[in-house]
Amino acid sequence: MLEAVIANMNTFGRVAVCGATSEYTDISRGSLDLVNVIYKRIAIKGFLFTDFMIHHFPDFMAKTSNYLRTGELKVIEDISLGMESVPSAFVGLFNGSNVGKKIVSLIDEED
């Protein structure tokens, strides 16, 4: 996917990389062709959310809470039911099969 992105980027483009949980256990990764990164002078920078937490977290919480309250921001949840779904839900975090926040509900809230 990254090679396709880089091939279609503009010169001096920037790529922010965060959240590669599905990559943690992938031992079949090939090497990345960096020729386009060099010729297009593309900057690739990884980051963790904690890099921004101290300075931006209070403002983030205030704005996000308001957006959730007013319905401007919708939460996407991928909910599995029952204790028996825990193993497959956990594996799904590493193979990219979930969408949004992964939750395992031990009781059916609709009952």
Side-chain angles (χ1 to χ4, degrees):
M1 182 63 90
L2 182 58
E3 286 192 34
V5 169
I6 289 172
N8 288 285
M9 289 187 66
N10 291 329
T11 303
F12 298 108
R14 295 173 293 174
V15 177
V17 182
C18 180
T21 305
S22 65
E23 299 289 316
Y24 293 167
T25 58
D26 184 5
I27 58 171
S28 65
R29 282 180 273 194
S31 62
L32 178 63
D33 181 4
L34 298 176
V35 173
N36 273 331
V37 172
I38 296 166
Y39 288 143
K40 292 182 177 185
R41 280 86 82 207
I42 294 172
I44 300 175
K45 182 175 182 174
F47 69 95
L48 300 173
F49 82 95
T50 54
D51 296 342
F52 302 95
M53 194 164 170
I54 293 172
H55 299 295
H56 301 288
F57 191 70
D59 186 45
F60 166 80
M61 285 302 294
K63 287 182 179 179
T64 303
S65 298
N66 188 48
Y67 292 151
L68 286 168
R69 225 179 352 272
T70 62
E72 292 179 71
L73 179 64
K74 304 277 190 232
V75 177
I76 298 174
E77 296 175 338
D78 184 355
I79 302 173
S80 298
L81 296 176
M83 186 62 95
E84 65 279 0
S85 70
V86 170
S88 62
F90 184 71
V91 170
L93 293 174
F94 295 98
N95 67 20
S97 65
N98 69 302
V99 175
K101 181 62 130 184
K102 184 63 187 175
I103 297 172
V104 175
S105 179
L106 300 181
I107 58 170
D108 191 350
E109 294 179 6
E110 293 181 10
D111 288 342

